[in-house]
Amino acid sequence: MNVPLLIARRYFFSKKKRNIISIISNISMVGVAVGTMALIIVLSVFNGLEDLVRGLYGKSDPDLMISAMQGKSFPVDSAFIDRITAVPGVALVTQVIEDNALLQYHDRQMVVKMKGMSENYFAQSNIDSAIVEGDHRLVRDGQDYALLGAGVQHELSIALDNRLSPLRLLYPRNTGKKLLSMNPETAFNEQAILAGGVFLIEQRIDDSYIFVPLGFARDLLLYGNRRTSLEVRVGDEHSVDDVKDELRQLLGTKFQVLDSDEQHVSLLKAIKVEKMFVFITFAFILLIASLNIFFSLSMLVIDKKKDVAILRAMGATTQLVRNIFLFEGAIVAMVGAITGLVLGVSICWLQQTFHLVSMGMATAVVDSYPVKMQATDIVLTGLAIIVITISVSIRPALNAARLDVRDNL
């Protein structure tokens, strides 16, 4: 029988002689419950946002991307591609040329990110599911077409398949050390292409990207056999991490091999940092709410002086008396924490199932706030509550253990 826990339970469920002790204990439980509930909900929202970002970029991101460690581009030949495709787990390799270019349509123009892709691009990317207008194919009946981000189309008011006014893409000619000519006919390479479709992925991509055939980008930029990156699709039966390690060993230090998270490391890192600071902030709020436990325990020690004296006279050790009040503080905190945990998980489940809270914006990529519960968040919240409870309970418990028996009998 755990005597300290038994006595602590009797103190918790019995009526206190001083009603203020009961009131402060209830306030403590409510504060811990609200803090725990809010922490679970907020952390789940950050998890949902992180998954949302991965899902949005997943429509256009490859499983792995190979790029040069130094410089913008690197030479690619059939032997180089064969070495990569020979790695177990590599299902497809897409050649990519990506650079800034000037896009003109009628009397409007803007700088865009032009991404030239080999014909097998759509075999490894599900970007065709993001097409909101037109056709996703970049080559139709021998004619080159461009896919436009929805923001690019809106900015320039571009009509699809307008053969009378095609898109014009311009790129500065490499003149070596000479100054750029003021004559646009000699200063820029220029090619025309028809707008074939519009995609809607994510605002940063939609507002700046256009996709074109690899040959079109190669001729405009005069890249020859050079590529800015290679995009790799990993077979379903293989691990992305294993294939990434194999490619890094094969290509050496001159190339970097990035998985989907590493391609957007700054954005995902920002979300994780924000989540960490939110956790720390709410942990401080929980600490402040738990200070009521300190006051209620301190008053309970005063109220139970005679009980402590009797226990000491019966042979109770200092450790036993101390543990009684530590368990009392733990019971108050755990009742509040479990209540908050149940409420927080329930609210997150309702949001996941019924989408109760909407984003409130017509242009939002999702209708409701994304949430995702993780066991690690619940464990970290529990550990935080345990540490906070011990911190605020230890002083009153030590004071109770130091009471002089003779003064209270």
Side-chain angles (χ1 to χ4, degrees), residues 74-330:
F74 54 93
V76 173
D77 55 24
S78 58
F80 185 74
I81 298 295
D82 291 341
R83 287 172 56 202
I84 295 175
T85 54
V87 173
V90 174
L92 191 67
V93 179
T94 299
Q95 302 180 43
V96 175
I97 296 176
E98 183 175 330
D99 207 337
N100 293 324
L102 180 65
L103 174 62
Q104 291 183 345
Y105 183 72
H106 290 308
D107 58 344
R108 299 184 179 184
Q109 61 184 21
M110 67 179 295
V111 176
V112 296
K113 277 278 190 180
M114 183 183 66
K115 185 172 183 179
M117 306 171 297
S118 53
E119 295 180 2
N120 61 0
Y121 177 76
F122 294 101
Q124 75 161 294
S125 171
N126 60 350
I127 192 176
D128 52 325
S129 64
I131 300 299
V132 294
E133 186 179 355
D135 195 318
H136 73 277
R137 291 175 297 172
L138 296 177
V139 180
R140 283 176 266 161
D141 300 326
Q143 176 70 52
D144 289 342
Y145 286 87
L147 289 182
L148 315 172
V152 175
Q153 184 202 30
H154 180 268
E155 180 70 21
L156 301 184
S157 301
I158 297 172
L160 299 185
D161 207 9
N162 185 352
R163 297 180 180 274
L164 296 178
S165 298
L167 306 177
R168 296 171 59 215
L169 283 159
L170 293 86
Y171 186 78
R173 290 181 178 174
N174 185 4
T175 57
K177 298 181 179 180
K178 297 180 181 180
L179 296 176
L180 184 66
S181 173
M182 298 302 293
N183 183 1
E185 295 183 358
T186 59
F188 293 90
N189 296 325
E190 179 182 341
Q191 287 191 191
I193 190 171
L194 295 176
V198 179
F199 59 81
L200 187 64
I201 300 175
E202 188 272 334
Q203 185 175 4
R204 184 185 67 85
I205 297 176
D206 300 339
D207 290 347
S208 59
Y209 269 82
I210 70 167
F211 298 154
V212 298
L214 181 69
F216 178 90
R218 180 193 61 217
D219 295 340
L220 176 66
L221 276 57
L222 301 178
Y223 262 49
N225 70 334
R226 303 188 69 84
R227 305 291 182 261
T228 57
S229 65
L230 298 177
E231 298 185 355
V232 177
R233 180 167 68 86
V234 177
D236 296 335
E237 68 280 3
H238 291 83
S239 167
V240 173
D241 291 334
D242 291 342
V243 177
K244 179 176 67 174
D245 293 339
E246 289 286 341
L247 287 174
R248 285 178 174 174
Q249 291 181 4
L250 172 68
L251 299 175
T253 58
K254 293 183 178 180
F255 295 90
Q256 56 182 351
V257 183
L258 307 177
D259 59 27
S260 182
D261 285 356
E262 290 169 338
Q263 293 169 41
H264 306 288
V265 63
S266 57
L267 180 59
L268 293 174
K269 186 177 181 180
I271 294 176
K272 291 182 182 296
V273 170
E274 289 178 3
K275 180 181 175 181
M276 180 186 67
F277 277 104
V278 166
F279 178 82
I280 294 172
T281 301
F282 274 86
F284 275 110
I285 294 174
L286 273 174
L287 176 60
I288 294 172
S290 300
L291 287 177
N292 288 317
I293 298 176
F294 171 83
F295 296 120
S296 65
L297 284 181
S298 297
M299 297 183 68
L300 186 63
V301 170
I302 297 173
D303 187 47
K304 301 298 183 182
K305 278 184 177 181
K306 291 188 179 297
D307 292 0
V308 172
I310 293 172
L311 287 172
R312 294 295 298 273
M314 293 173 62
T317 63
T318 299
Q319 182 180 4
L320 186 145
V321 174
R322 182 194 64 199
N323 289 344
I324 290 173
F325 292 93
L326 283 176
F327 280 129
E328 175 73 11

Side-chain angles (χ1 to χ4, degrees), residues 31-51:
V32 172
V34 172
T36 304
M37 178 185 68
L39 186 54
I40 292 295
I41 293 173
V42 172
L43 292 180
S44 297
V45 170
F46 273 98
N47 295 334
L49 290 174
E50 188 173 340
D51 273 9

Side-chain angles (χ1 to χ4, degrees), residues 351 355-370:
Q351 177 66 11
H355 310 292
L356 301 177
V357 182
S358 66
M359 296 293 288
M361 296 182 295
T363 57
V365 294
V366 289
D367 295 330
S368 60
Y369 277 95

